[in-house]
Amino acid sequence: MSRVSTTPGNNPTTAHALLQRLRDHGVQTVFGVVGREAASILFDEVEGIDFVLTRHEFTAGVAADVLARISGRPQACWATLGPGMTNLSTGVATSILDRSPVIALAAQSESYDIFPNDTHQCLDSVAVMRPMTKYAVELQRPDDITDLVDSAVAAATTEPVGPSFLSLPVDLLAGEVDTTLDRPAVSAPGKPVGAVQDGWQAKAEQSAELLAAAEHPVLVVGAAAIRSGAVPAIRALAERLNIPVITTYIAKGVLPHGHRLNYGAVTGYMDGILSFPALETLFGPADLILTLGYDYAEDLRPSMWQRGGAKQTVRVSPTVNPVPRVYRPDVDVVTDVLAFVEHLEAHTDQVTPKTPHDIAPLRARIAEFLSDPERHADGMRVHQVMDCMNTVMAESAEPGEGTIVSDIGFFRHYGVLFARADQPFGFLTSAGCSSFGYGIPAAMGAQLARPGQPTFLIAGDGGFHSNSSDLETIARLNLPIVTVVVNNDTNGLIELYQNIGHHRSHDPAVKFTGVDFTELARANGVEAVRAGSREELLAALRKGAGLGRPFLIEVPVNYDFQAGGFAALSI
């Protein structure tokens, strides 16, 4: 039963006012780890907010990031003072680089005992968090808490969206608040607030003229287009004018997986993985690149589309261009992406549909990889694993549903290339921060956001084991996540870089001794099996998809990489 934390005077406390205001702003969940501030806050003070206890604060930060990304509303994470706050900081860094409206909260020493680096467990939390947040402040008076939450949410939901941080001294958290103060009503925008430049319509019309004149235009779409609600309009424009769509890692799903105009997501590793000139095939013939919601942090670099002949570029974004040194568009349109696409639609009604440039050889190469039937004595290949995951996702998800999550490692770029995504944010990975261990909390956030849909997670042995303790959290919440751990007892991406730079590897820097991930899963309450072939993996995935509870599959893998083909990674 919910109750109000009270002071001896029987009045509500800062803790109650904090949670009440978060709920008013649409926060549904606080993920975190609580410390001695438990004497001041129980997290049951307000109905309508769930507290999810995680094993690590990084997990809390990333789970909040993904739940906020998919729900479109801010979500919160919590840490105790000192080391709890520093553990949380990597989750906060994830949400600033991956653009999610997270409200990060951390306890602080008593207000009369804040002497950073001298008081026990006392650090200057605001100074730590300020460089990686949109807003960071420490509570000074209990009655300020509502205003601080309002400011934090306003900053977090303004483009580029990102985290805000509140430091909460434990004595003030238990302090009495004045219930007679006027609290303004919450006005929640339907989508993030962005910049709008005067005269953008004229630039949109200039863009329409370029589009009309182009022979082989391409739409390059980033996550800000999804946040703007522009996906249906982009699909309609692409289909009417027959324009191919290419996306960043996390904008996969703007067009469904099998759509004829879906030319896929781009990674700088694709030429090397495929041993094929993929970037040249995708961008070489293009004469106009129109970027919609493009974000440099999403790791699709302008150098990747500057292949082949001369081309013009149009940038459309709700933010002023932060990287003019590397992206110098011919036309720069600062406005809401949906407003731009609707304006472009109205000014291209007489434009003849285009003839998309041919990428049949690239599609054939991808199909060749995915259909690879070979049995390898040293383990499956990651493209075979991805094909099995795609097959079972297609069988178990309703049309336009399902989420494939990827942790960080070399295998992640196989996911970017091959993973099925039939809805926006249907493929999730950390494009901006790319921290080991992203997979488990991201899958948690995705499953909580889409409880009726299947969630598959692919993780490498290195990243997965960096916070595998939160398997217990998945089991405790009974989240039906199907996890595939591709295990080569190696940090494979780092081994690749060793070979790129030195044409050899150095095992002490990349090799681990073996971990039995099936036994690890069982120890945390998750059923698990090992699969060594396509047949075994397909059977295991089908079992996991039908269980209705967490399931883990360990798959021994190996890579056949060559050191060549990765020139696109050069900045």
Side-chain angles (χ1 to χ4, degrees):
M1 176 184 246
S2 177
R3 60 183 176 272
V4 176
S5 293
T6 61
T7 67
N10 209 40
N11 287 324
T13 66
T14 305
H16 176 268
L18 167 70
L19 296 175
Q20 178 74 51
R21 200 59 170 180
L22 288 172
R23 189 188 67 180
D24 292 345
H25 281 286
V27 174
Q28 302 164 329
T29 308
V30 180
F31 301 89
V33 182
V34 187
R36 67 180 177 86
E37 69 278 5
S40 302
I41 185 169
L42 281 167
F43 290 98
D44 68 350
E45 288 84 353
V46 172
E47 291 184 356
I49 291 186
D50 294 323
F51 187 86
V52 174
L53 175 65
T54 61
R55 289 281 182 166
H56 196 281
E57 294 86 352
F58 170 68
T59 299
V62 173
D65 171 295
V66 171
L67 182 57
R69 178 189 313 280
I70 295 175
S71 69
R73 296 302 307 147
Q75 304 299 334
C77 52
W78 180 278
T80 192
L81 59 162
M85 178 274 300
T86 57
N87 281 348
L88 185 66
S89 65
T90 306
V92 172
T94 300
S95 64
I96 192 68
L97 279 165
D98 289 341
R99 315 302 192 215
S100 285
V102 169
I103 309 303
L105 309 162
Q108 177 58 292
S109 299
E110 285 77 4
S111 59
Y112 50 82
D113 198 32
I114 298 177
F115 301 106
N117 303 338
D118 287 307
T119 300
H120 173 68
Q121 288 194 319
C122 183
L123 298 167
D124 189 340
S125 301
V126 171
V128 170
M129 291 291 192
R130 182 176 287 121
M132 63 183 90
T133 56
K134 304 284 297 295
Y135 175 83
V137 69
E138 191 160 86
L139 179 67
Q140 303 293 323
R141 299 179 304 170
D143 288 333
D144 291 342
I145 190 63
T146 296
D147 293 335
L148 297 189
V149 171
D150 289 352
S151 295
V153 171
T157 55
T158 299
E159 291 283 7
V161 299
S164 289
F165 173 72
L166 299 181
S167 173
L168 303 165
V170 293
D171 61 319
L172 300 187
L173 193 58
E176 184 177 319
V177 294
D178 185 351
T179 58
T180 66
L181 293 176
D182 180 49
R183 308 294 184 189
V186 167
S187 178
K191 60 185 180 182
V193 177
V196 177
Q197 190 176 59
D198 286 345
W200 71 265
Q201 295 90 342
K203 290 188 175 183
E205 287 152 27
Q206 183 183 357
S207 304
E209 293 172 3
L210 292 176
L211 185 57
E215 183 177 0
H216 294 305
V218 171
L219 304 181
V220 171
V221 182
I226 301 174
R227 294 193 296 270
S228 79
V231 170
I234 290 171
R235 288 183 181 180
L237 179 72
E239 290 171 348
R240 183 174 66 81
L241 294 181
N242 219 25
I243 304 174
V245 173
I246 295 171
T247 71
T248 62
Y249 298 1
I250 57 174
K252 278 170 70 81
V254 167
L255 293 185
H257 184 70
H259 197 289
R260 64 183 179 82
L261 292 172
N262 180 6
Y263 277 26
V266 169
T267 165
Y269 296 81
M270 62 197 310
D271 286 14
I273 289 172
L274 295 170
S275 298
F276 185 87
L279 290 168
E280 177 67 33
T281 304
L282 287 172
F283 292 117
D287 53 358
L288 177 66
I289 304 292
L290 204 164
T291 65
L292 301 174
Y294 171 76
D295 189 332
Y296 189 64
E298 291 174 35
D299 208 27
L300 195 171
R301 297 177 187 143
S303 59
M304 295 177 188
W305 67 61
Q306 291 165 356
R307 305 299 174 103
K311 56 201 74 196
Q312 293 181 292
T313 57
V314 175
R315 175 186 177 271
V316 183
S317 175
T319 63
V320 174
N321 185 3
V323 288
R325 185 168 62 87
V326 294
Y327 183 17
R328 299 174 181 173
D330 296 285
V331 181
D332 193 1
V333 191
V334 180
T335 193
D336 176 67
V337 177
L338 175 58
F340 173 87
V341 175
E342 291 175 339
H343 201 82
L344 192 67
E345 179 78 38
H347 285 79
T348 56
D349 57 334
Q350 302 300 314
V351 174
T352 303
K354 307 297 179 177
T355 301
H357 63 283
D358 183 23
I359 64 164
L362 173 58
R363 285 179 164 155
R365 182 60 171 159
I366 289 173
E368 179 185 356
F369 260 69
L370 292 176
S371 63
D372 177 12
E374 187 173 348
R375 299 179 74 101
H376 302 272
D378 59 349
M380 289 184 69
R381 299 306 184 250
V382 176
H383 52 268
Q384 296 174 321
V385 175
M386 287 306 315
D387 184 54
C388 292
M389 293 177 71
N390 285 343
T391 297
V392 179
M393 180 60 79
E395 294 171 355
S396 56
E398 295 296 322
E401 294 188 351
T403 311
I404 294 179
V405 179
S406 176
D407 206 323
I408 308 307
F410 192 25
F411 64 90
R412 185 261 291 271
H413 299 281
Y414 289 75
V416 174
L417 280 174
F418 304 132
R420 183 183 188 89
D422 284 335
Q423 63 179 325
F425 302 136
F427 174 76
L428 290 169
T429 190
S430 177
C433 192
S434 292
S435 176
F436 254 17
Y438 174 86
I440 285 179
M444 288 170 50
Q447 189 63 63
L448 289 168
R450 296 167 172 162
Q453 301 184 27
T455 300
F456 291 177
L457 164 63
I458 183 169
D461 53 283
F464 183 78
H465 207 27
S466 70
N467 68 337
S468 57
S469 59
D470 271 297
L471 272 174
E472 185 275 332
T473 307
I474 291 175
R476 177 169 18 102
L477 299 177
N478 197 32
L479 299 176
I481 296 164
V482 179
T483 298
V484 178
V485 179
V486 289
N487 186 7
N488 64 345
D489 296 322
T490 305
N491 279 341
L493 185 60
I494 310 309
E495 186 178 30
L496 169 64
Y497 276 104
Q498 288 179 335
N499 279 271
I500 290 173
H502 307 280
H503 303 289
R504 63 185 178 87
S505 60
H506 179 53
D507 286 355
V510 294
K511 295 290 184 182
F512 299 106
T513 55
V515 173
D516 188 331
F517 288 101
T518 62
E519 289 297 325
L520 177 71
R522 294 182 193 114
N524 283 279
V526 175
E527 186 177 347
V529 298
R530 186 173 286 105
S533 67
R534 275 184 175 272
E535 295 76 19
E536 291 174 353
L537 180 54
L538 284 167
L541 285 164
R542 287 171 176 138
K543 176 181 177 179
L547 272 181
R549 61 178 184 270
F551 190 68
L552 182 142
I553 309 161
E554 181 179 353
V555 183
V557 299
N558 222 315
Y559 294 102
D560 294 323
F561 64 75
Q562 303 293 324
F566 295 97
L569 300 176
S570 177
I571 299 174

